[in-house]
């Protein structure tokens, strides 16, 4: 019986160590996610080639930030919620990829708009010089 008690005590200690490590890792993930949300907000601020497009990206970033805040709350729960937090992280990663794709589209639109403006200026200049 003493060996079983010692084994149970050892397993409980190891489990507590694993839970503590998961909590530390979850805190690191939460920090990284907060930094990612900040980066996303900065990208949205810089992309502003059109007001409506920037507004859509901002709404997406705010949604991602809201998800991060929900994840932080979930991470602070007991260790049994770690699996739920990991699913939320996967969802956030997909949202971040979606936002990145939207920002890339904004960049392409901006480049095309600049090219069209340059072309129009060139044509206008040719008409004036004739």
């Amino acid at each position: 019986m003493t060996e079983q008690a010692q084994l149970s005590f050892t397993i409980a200690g190891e489990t507590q160590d694993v839970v503590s490590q998961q909590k530390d890792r979850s805190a690191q993930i939460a920090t990284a996610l907060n930094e990612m949300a900040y980066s996303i907000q900065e990208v949205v601020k810089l992309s502003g080639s059109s007001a409506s497009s920037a507004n859509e990206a901002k709404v997406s970033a705010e949604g991602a930030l809201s998800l991060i805040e929900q994840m932080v709350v979930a991470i602070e729960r007991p260790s049994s919620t770690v699996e739920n937090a990991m699913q939320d992280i996967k969802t956030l990663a997909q949202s971040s990829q979606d936002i990145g794709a939207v920002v890339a589209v904004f960049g392409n639109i901006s480049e095309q708009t600049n090219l069209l403006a340059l072309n129009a200026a060139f044509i206008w200049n040719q008409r004036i010089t004739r």
Side-chain angles (χ1 to χ4, degrees):
M1 190 67 166
T2 306
E3 288 180 29
Q4 288 179 342
Q6 182 63 32
L7 181 59
S8 294
F9 182 75
T10 301
I11 291 172
E14 290 173 357
T15 302
Q16 185 176 7
D17 290 344
V18 168
V19 167
S20 178
Q21 290 173 359
Q22 286 179 341
K23 184 177 178 183
D24 291 343
R25 288 181 183 145
S26 296
Q28 291 172 350
I29 290 169
T31 300
L33 291 173
N34 282 328
E35 290 173 0
M36 186 186 301
Y38 177 77
S39 296
I40 290 169
Q41 287 177 340
E42 289 301 310
V43 168
V44 169
K45 288 178 186 176
L46 297 174
S47 69
S49 62
S50 76
S52 64
S53 296
N55 189 36
E56 289 175 17
K58 181 181 176 193
V59 168
S60 296
E62 289 172 348
L65 182 59
S66 174
L67 181 60
I68 290 170
E69 290 170 352
Q70 292 172 9
M71 286 178 44
V72 169
V73 170
I75 289 170
E76 293 175 351
R77 291 184 192 145
S79 64
S80 64
T81 62
V82 170
E83 288 182 23
N84 292 336
M86 292 306 295
Q87 183 60 40
D88 289 343
I89 290 169
K90 289 177 184 177
T91 302
L92 176 62
Q94 181 61 46
S95 295
S96 296
Q97 289 177 351
D98 294 344
I99 290 170
V102 169
V103 169
V105 168
F106 295 160
N108 289 337
I109 290 171
S110 177
E111 287 176 19
Q112 290 175 7
T113 302
N114 288 340
L115 288 174
L116 288 172
L118 183 61
N119 189 30
F122 179 74
I123 291 171
W124 179 256
N125 190 30
Q126 284 185 341
R127 286 185 181 173
I128 290 176
T129 58
R130 286 185 183 176

